[in-house]
Amino acid sequence: MSEDKGRHAAEEDLISLEHEWERRNWSQWLGCSEQELQHAVESIGADPDNVRRFLRQAR
């Protein structure tokens, strides 16, 4: 059971683009447009730290 809980917690830490409100919230939190966010996630994955670095380098 604890393995399932750990996996679920890790999934919550990833950026999800599934819903409009999630895209909006992540964009506001990272200080980028939804298009920039989508490009970053498609390019390097959904880890917020990696996306933040990617966005910083792109500017």
Side-chain angles (χ1 to χ4, degrees):
M1 287 258 193
S2 63
E3 290 179 24
D4 291 337
K5 188 175 183 181
R7 263 186 266 144
H8 181 67
E11 290 174 5
E12 289 178 0
D13 292 341
L14 297 177
I15 296 173
S16 173
L17 302 177
E18 185 175 345
H19 300 286
E20 189 274 331
W21 63 268
E22 290 177 307
R23 292 189 301 272
R24 184 180 59 239
N25 288 346
W26 278 111
S27 294
Q28 289 176 351
W29 189 71
L30 293 168
C32 66
S33 71
E34 290 184 29
Q35 293 81 11
E36 290 172 319
L37 176 65
Q38 184 168 352
H39 174 69
V41 170
E42 289 173 353
S43 297
I44 59 161
D47 181 84
D49 292 330
N50 291 340
V51 169
R52 187 180 306 111
R53 279 192 224 76
F54 181 88
L55 291 168
R56 229 183 276 143
Q57 291 175 350
R59 293 183 182 170

